[in-house]
Amino acid sequence: MGKINAVITGVGGWVPTYILDNEEMSTIVDTSDEWIMERIGVKTRHILKPEEGAGTSFMMTKAVKQLLEKTQADPDSIEAVIVATTTPDYHFPSTASLVIGNNGLKNAYGYDLEAACAGFLYAMEQGACLIRSGLYKRIIVCGGDHMSSMTNYQDRNTCPIFGDGAACVMMEATEEEYGLMDSYLRVDGKGYENLHMAAGGSACMPSHETVDQRLHFVYQEGRTVFKHAVTNMSNAVSTIAQRNNLTKDDIAWVVPHQANVRIESAVARRIGVEEDHVMINIDHMANTSGGTLPLCLWEYEPQLKKGDKIIFTAFGAGFSWGASYMIWGYDGSKFADTPAEFYKEGTISREEWYAKRRNGDK
Ligand code: UT7
């Protein structure tokens, strides 16, 4: 038996219906559409409201359901589900257990992986390792966050950045030269001061005081995080490109974590890749933390071609970061006609759906 590779064979996704635009944001905190567009690049973000559903598992369950419908995979054939999230429904049980139960995946085990905004990158590598071991043939890797559940809507420095959403990929074994080829992943343990949620864990248990002091929300020193993000993502992409003898002309797509459009542009400039080869959806998705990379794949899937060389990169709390190199395994156009509940019962394409949303047609 030859070398086993782990290849993505489908993408599913889901984002909440409610759209919080910059106009509404400027009624919540002292900000403006101009400032947010210029400094972050977010126009609208999806927010999960209680009347629609609750928790990350709600979104991820729908994403996995769509993936199964799209790929026509037998639910009994799924052997594992890895969930990258920083906003699990509960401390325990795991969000993976809920997603598995909700989708009736009775032959799967699963677990959550927490690496903040780098979570999906780590989870893809974990999934690939399971498959390369020869013990697993078909698994699902999910990434997503209910960021609005830990966003402080009294802090204008952070609240315009985040949105809610989840997506997932099917990963399967192949002996062909497709799939996740290489990963460079790091965490330095130096980022706590600059990016954290202080309370709610075992070091600082929830209490009336922690609630009064608003310690159950994201705290971020934006400028410091920004600098580390640009440097570490750029270096990680360069390392992975050099290690795999990739020049900028070989790279069909760079898929960066969607934290700030200026970070994405800076990373693209540093590695010399033209911006039309960089997946960007931050304008309408915002930063969904563990969801950004798979949501990019979900939206760009129709443009992806078998053999495309793709570099993923992400950076987040910890600090944790890295880059992965993948050879894409199928023409995304094969799913073009797939009806999905998300796109209004499949009556319009995702491009049309988003065009309508951008025009304010809710
Ligand atoms: O996903 C995990 C990793 N996270 C990241 O990679 C995020 C990295 N950081 C960033 O994206 C940016 O640093 C932010 C978007 C968070 C902030 O942008 P910035 O350009 O770094 O702004 P700043 O913090 O340097 O603030 C500049 C000014 C300040 O006013 P003064 O002190 O110059 O008078 C802020 O008070 O902008 C002000 N400001 C705002 N003004 C209007 C901060 N937030 C806002 C706002 N609206 N929402």
Side-chain angles (χ1 to χ4, degrees):
M1 189 160 159
K3 181 185 163 215
I4 305 172
N5 285 311
V7 66
I8 290 178
T9 53
V11 189
W14 194 85
V15 289
T17 317
Y18 190 81
I19 292 182
L20 172 55
D21 61 21
N22 289 345
E23 281 65 41
E24 186 179 352
M25 186 61 81
S26 29
T27 67
I28 301 171
V29 286
D30 180 15
T31 190
S32 64
D33 180 51
E34 292 74 20
W35 193 94
I36 300 173
M37 282 306 286
E38 194 188 309
R39 305 307 298 166
I40 312 174
V42 175
K43 192 87 183 157
T44 58
R45 67 284 288 146
H46 296 266
I47 301 292
L48 185 62
K49 297 272 190 182
E51 49 275 25
E52 184 166 26
T56 298
S57 75
F58 177 81
M59 301 185 286
M60 230 165 239
T61 294
K62 286 181 177 286
V64 168
K65 181 170 179 278
Q66 188 189 83
L67 178 68
L68 292 168
E69 279 170 7
K70 231 172 111 165
T71 56
Q72 311 255 298
D74 178 357
D76 291 355
S77 69
I78 308 300
E79 297 161 301
V81 175
I82 306 175
V83 167
T85 187
T86 314
T87 52
D89 287 31
Y90 309 105
H91 272 310
F92 68 92
S94 67
T95 302
S97 69
L98 304 172
V99 172
I100 286 170
N102 291 342
N103 280 293
L105 309 180
K106 60 178 192 293
N107 292 321
Y109 83 108
Y111 57 93
D112 293 0
L113 182 157
E114 202 276 282
C117 298
F120 187 76
L121 210 53
Y122 285 25
M124 272 203 304
E125 176 66 4
Q126 290 251 312
C129 287
L130 291 183
I131 285 175
R132 288 180 200 127
S133 75
L135 296 174
Y136 299 86
K137 303 257 174 307
R138 180 180 270 177
I139 65 163
I140 294 176
V141 180
C142 308
D145 273 293
H146 185 185
M147 290 307 290
S148 63
S149 70
M150 59 172 183
T151 297
N152 181 358
Y153 288 97
Q154 294 180 6
D155 175 13
R156 70 173 184 168
N157 293 295
T158 53
C159 70
I161 300 173
F162 298 113
D164 300 333
C168 55
V169 297
M170 187 82 77
M171 218 178 222
E172 297 190 59
T174 178
E175 289 187 30
E176 291 186 274
E177 203 57 8
Y178 295 105
L180 196 68
M181 295 292 139
D182 191 14
S183 290
Y184 168 88
L185 305 174
R186 291 292 182 272
V187 58
D188 66 7
K190 295 179 181 159
Y192 176 83
E193 293 301 326
N194 312 112
L195 187 52
H196 61 252
M197 185 170 95
S202 55
C204 181
M205 287 176 281
S207 65
H208 288 294
E209 286 72 33
T210 61
V211 171
D212 291 344
Q213 292 167 28
R214 304 185 75 75
L215 298 181
H216 295 269
F217 295 116
V218 176
Y219 171 82
Q220 174 172 255
E221 288 167 15
R223 274 183 226 186
T224 310
V225 176
F226 188 102
K227 283 185 206 143
H228 284 277
V230 173
T231 307
N232 287 320
M233 283 163 76
S234 304
N235 291 346
V237 171
S238 301
T239 301
I240 209 89
Q242 275 167 18
R243 233 153 67 164
N244 293 281
N245 300 316
L246 299 169
T247 68
K248 66 178 172 54
D249 298 326
D250 297 321
I251 301 168
W253 294 102
V254 174
V255 190
H257 171 49
Q258 309 286 306
N260 185 315
V261 77
R262 291 183 294 129
I263 296 178
E264 287 136 39
S265 302
V267 171
R269 268 199 309 278
R270 290 262 185 101
I271 57 170
V273 171
E274 298 294 327
E275 287 201 20
D276 57 355
H277 291 269
V278 181
M279 292 192 191
I280 293 188
N281 63 10
I282 188 171
D283 57 320
H284 55 277
M285 290 289 192
N287 181 350
T288 55
S289 192
T292 62
L293 300 183
L295 282 170
C296 276
L297 287 180
W298 182 54
E299 287 199 89
Y300 280 78
E301 186 189 43
Q303 297 179 54
L304 290 171
K305 298 198 176 50
K306 190 169 183 174
D308 276 355
K309 293 180 173 165
I310 303 177
I311 292 184
F312 297 85
T313 184
F315 178 88
F319 295 123
S320 45
W321 72 95
S324 291
Y325 164 45
M326 179 180 286
I327 305 178
W328 193 250
Y330 63 93
D331 288 331
S333 55
K334 80 172 183 182
F335 289 123
D337 300 327
T338 306
E341 55 172 305
F342 172 59
Y343 312 114
K344 306 272 182 204
E345 285 78 47
T347 51
I348 58 172
S349 72
R350 71 190 81 185
E351 288 78 15
E352 287 169 314
W353 193 87
Y354 270 109
K356 276 171 174 272
R357 293 244 161 160
R358 284 200 196 93
N359 293 337
D361 176 359
K362 291 189 183 182

